[in-house]
Amino acid sequence: MAVKTLGAIDRRETSHADRNELTNDLLATAAEVEEHERQRLVDEAVLLNLSLAESIARRYSGRGVDRDDLVQVAYLGLVNAAHRYDPGRGRDFASFAVPTITGEVKRYFRDHGWTVRPPRRVQELHAALAAASAEIAQRQGSSPSAADVAEHLDVDVSEVAEASASHECFTVASIDYRGTEGDDTPLAEAIGGEDSGFDRAEAIVALAGACRELRPRDRHILYLRFFRGLTQQEIAAELGVTQMQVSRLLARILSQMRRSLGLAPTARHDAPTTRRGGELPRQPAGSTGIGARAAA
């Protein structure tokens, strides 16, 4: 069988019909010759159809994967199609190659296109959304709503919303990204973080009622200990009592507040604190004071 080769024809000037006919002739001949000659003819068929692979790659550009990578994957699908094509089945090469190349590109998206990988069902539904939206828009002459797409695909509207939102998983912005309209503020500085003020506000609301149930002197001791940050020894000096009495007072006050808040009692409490930098002096046996009489 006489077959034209690429040396005898400029593939850039070949019409679609001529390219299909030449490709089919090349691959039909390749099926009947020895391996070395077969590989040469298959290579010529691949080169003749590079534009077909490029056109399929263009359909999927702008979806978070570099265009050059898509083109290379489409070329790989074209090579696979050329090697697997069986002229005896009666189909022309283009009708066999298009789904083969498209499948290769879709697999690449599935395996490598997601920066953040959603569940498989979300990936598959995301791929079906574009085709369903185009079909519905063609039929009714307007952009379909999420409910229209959900009805067409026989899924819940919430699943359509989830699949639509998964488009953001293809690419993520760097925290060093700066705005394109003259804004020099990095994205990292605009991202919110944990606000400890909420915990503080919650604690204030919870403790306010428990503090109101305390006697005035007990509230004063809490103020000295937890707001002014005095040690137990310094509180004892201000009140005219012993450090041990202050420790017991604090233990009683905190236990009372825990009960007011509905918390289980704990063995841990504000432990006795020494003077800064020194040992706590022992109080002479039998000593008494205002605090001792009040704590009794």
Side-chain angles (χ1 to χ4, degrees):
M1 179 184 295
V3 179
K4 294 179 181 179
T5 65
L6 291 182
I9 190 169
D10 187 347
R11 66 185 179 92
R12 293 173 298 179
E13 299 177 357
T14 306
S15 68
H16 177 74
D18 290 341
R19 184 170 63 246
N20 281 346
E21 181 181 356
L22 180 56
T23 301
N24 291 335
D25 289 344
L26 286 169
L27 294 177
T29 303
E32 301 174 356
V33 298
E34 296 181 356
E35 180 63 28
H36 177 72
E37 181 66 11
R38 179 180 184 277
Q39 184 61 52
R40 184 184 68 80
L41 294 174
V42 169
D43 289 345
E44 289 192 7
V46 169
L47 293 174
L48 191 61
N49 289 274
L50 291 180
S51 59
L52 175 63
E54 292 165 359
S55 67
I56 294 175
R58 281 195 297 271
R59 298 180 196 172
Y60 293 89
S61 62
R63 301 189 185 184
V65 175
D66 187 78
R67 184 177 181 277
D68 290 340
D69 291 342
L70 289 179
V71 171
Q72 293 299 318
V73 173
Y75 285 164
L76 177 60
L78 175 62
V79 172
N80 290 338
H83 280 281
R84 291 164 47 195
Y85 176 67
D86 182 2
R89 292 182 176 271
R91 299 174 60 191
D92 69 314
F93 176 72
S95 63
F96 174 77
V98 168
T100 303
I101 298 171
T102 303
E104 196 71 37
V105 172
K106 288 182 176 180
R107 276 192 296 274
Y108 185 82
F109 267 96
R110 183 192 68 195
D111 297 335
H112 304 284
W114 301 91
T115 303
V116 178
R117 186 179 295 275
R120 180 68 176 272
R121 63 172 182 81
V122 176
Q123 296 182 37
E124 294 175 349
L125 183 56
H126 178 271
L129 288 182
S133 298
E135 182 178 342
I136 298 172
Q138 179 69 23
R139 185 175 65 244
Q140 65 185 26
S142 61
S143 298
S145 65
D148 294 333
V149 177
E151 182 180 359
H152 181 81
L153 296 175
D154 193 24
V155 296
D156 292 335
V157 176
S158 60
E159 294 181 79
V160 172
E162 182 182 17
S164 299
S166 70
H167 180 75
E168 303 297 330
C169 295
F170 275 115
T171 56
V172 294
S174 168
I175 61 174
D176 295 323
Y177 171 78
R178 299 174 185 271
T180 57
E181 300 180 358
D183 185 4
D184 292 333
T185 304
L187 179 61
E189 296 184 10
I191 298 176
E194 289 190 13
D195 190 344
S196 59
F198 289 107
D199 293 335
R200 178 179 173 83
E202 183 179 352
I204 290 174
V205 171
L207 292 173
C211 287
R212 282 193 291 268
E213 297 177 3
L214 299 176
R215 291 178 293 182
R217 194 191 65 162
D218 291 345
R219 291 199 296 269
H220 182 60
I221 292 174
L222 287 181
Y223 168 75
L224 295 177
R225 181 71 182 94
F226 296 105
F227 287 84
R228 289 183 55 187
L230 299 186
T231 64
Q232 292 183 5
Q233 183 66 22
E234 291 167 337
I235 296 173
E238 180 163 330
L239 297 180
V241 297
T242 67
Q243 181 271 335
M244 184 60 68
Q245 289 166 341
V246 171
S247 177
R248 291 172 180 168
L249 286 169
L250 282 170
R252 177 182 58 77
I253 294 169
L254 295 179
S255 178
Q256 178 182 341
M257 294 184 69
R258 290 189 186 97
R259 288 194 300 271
S260 298
L261 295 173
L263 303 177
T266 175
R268 299 184 61 185
H269 55 77
D270 195 84
T273 307
T274 64
R275 257 194 323 248
R276 295 187 181 94
E279 291 293 331
L280 182 67
R282 292 187 175 275
Q283 202 65 12
S287 63
T288 59
I290 299 174
R293 292 192 298 271

